[in-house]
């Protein structure tokens, strides 16, 4: 197998950015769920690791359970630092993120953490997300210094 090219790394970087973009937007703005479905494999899993356990779902389940929160609260999330590795038809992106939203009482909520994206090429040679695993930063689990935003 051959290692990925710079073109592969750029394609993965773009897909990571699109994954953040598709769930982000101001309150009341519908999200492009068709675009989200297209960037993930049909069998993809999305899993959050939390202090109280894990929550895992399909893309369809994610859309059904998170749609109202994302659109009603003006949720926005973006990458801080991405580390991308490509090997043949598989790739991984370790992506720290920062996000925010507005609570119903008008106060701002904020989050940071790390997303672990796994990718594979489809039959047309395009990269798609195979799975997404994430964990939110906590006081006892801060982001590593090299995953903080660079100035």
């Amino acid at each position: 197998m051959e290692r990925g090219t710079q073109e592969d790394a750029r394609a993965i970087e773009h897909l990571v950015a699109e994954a953040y973009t598709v769930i982000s937007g101001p309150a009341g703005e519908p999200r492009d769920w068709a675009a989200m479905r297209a960037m993930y494999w049909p069998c993809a899993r999305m899993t959050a690791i939390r202090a109280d356990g894990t929550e895992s779902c399909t893309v369809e389940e994610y859309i059904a359970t998170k749609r109202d929160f994302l659109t009603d609260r003006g949720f926005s999330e973006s990458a801080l630092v991405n580390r991308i590795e490509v090997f043949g038809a598989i790739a991984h992106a370790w992506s720290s993120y920062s996000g925010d939203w507005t609570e119903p009482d008008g106060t701002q909520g904020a989050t940071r953490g790390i997303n672990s994206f796994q990718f594979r090429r489809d039959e047309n040679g395009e990269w798609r997300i195979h799975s997404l695993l994430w964990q939110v930063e906590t006081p006892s689990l801060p982001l590593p210094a090299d995953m903080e935003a660079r100035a």
Side-chain angles (χ1 to χ4, degrees):
M1 267 193 206
E2 62 187 51
R3 292 187 58 84
T5 65
Q6 287 185 350
E7 183 179 320
D8 289 326
R10 282 191 298 274
I12 296 297
E13 184 86 30
H14 178 74
L15 193 50
V16 168
E18 287 299 308
Y20 288 119
T21 298
V22 78
I23 62 171
S24 297
E29 181 179 294
R31 304 307 191 257
D32 188 347
W33 303 120
M36 184 173 186
R37 289 178 183 102
M39 69 180 65
Y40 284 83
W41 281 86
C43 62
R45 298 294 301 176
M46 303 174 77
T47 305
I49 297 177
R50 305 185 195 290
D52 61 352
T54 62
E55 176 185 357
S56 187
C57 60
T58 65
V59 173
E60 290 304 321
E61 290 165 338
Y62 180 89
I63 292 168
T65 60
K66 306 298 183 199
R67 174 192 315 258
D68 290 346
F69 173 82
L70 296 173
T71 56
D72 293 350
R73 307 243 181 123
F75 183 81
S76 181
E77 191 171 81
S78 60
L80 297 172
V81 176
N82 292 328
R83 289 188 204 153
I84 297 170
E85 296 283 334
V86 180
F87 185 78
I90 63 173
H92 179 256
W94 192 253
S95 179
S96 58
Y97 64 85
S98 176
D100 58 68
W101 64 91
T102 304
E103 294 289 350
D105 66 3
T107 60
Q108 287 297 119
T111 186
R112 293 186 342 157
I114 292 185
N115 284 322
S116 172
F117 291 93
Q118 294 75 48
F119 303 89
R120 69 181 224 226
R121 289 184 201 273
D122 66 16
E123 60 280 355
N124 298 316
E126 299 296 320
W127 290 102
R128 293 175 72 189
I129 301 168
H130 185 260
S131 62
L132 171 57
L133 179 67
W134 71 93
Q135 188 161 10
V136 173
E137 176 185 52
T138 65
S140 64
L141 185 65
L143 288 181
D146 65 341
M147 295 301 288
E148 295 273 349
R150 296 183 182 110

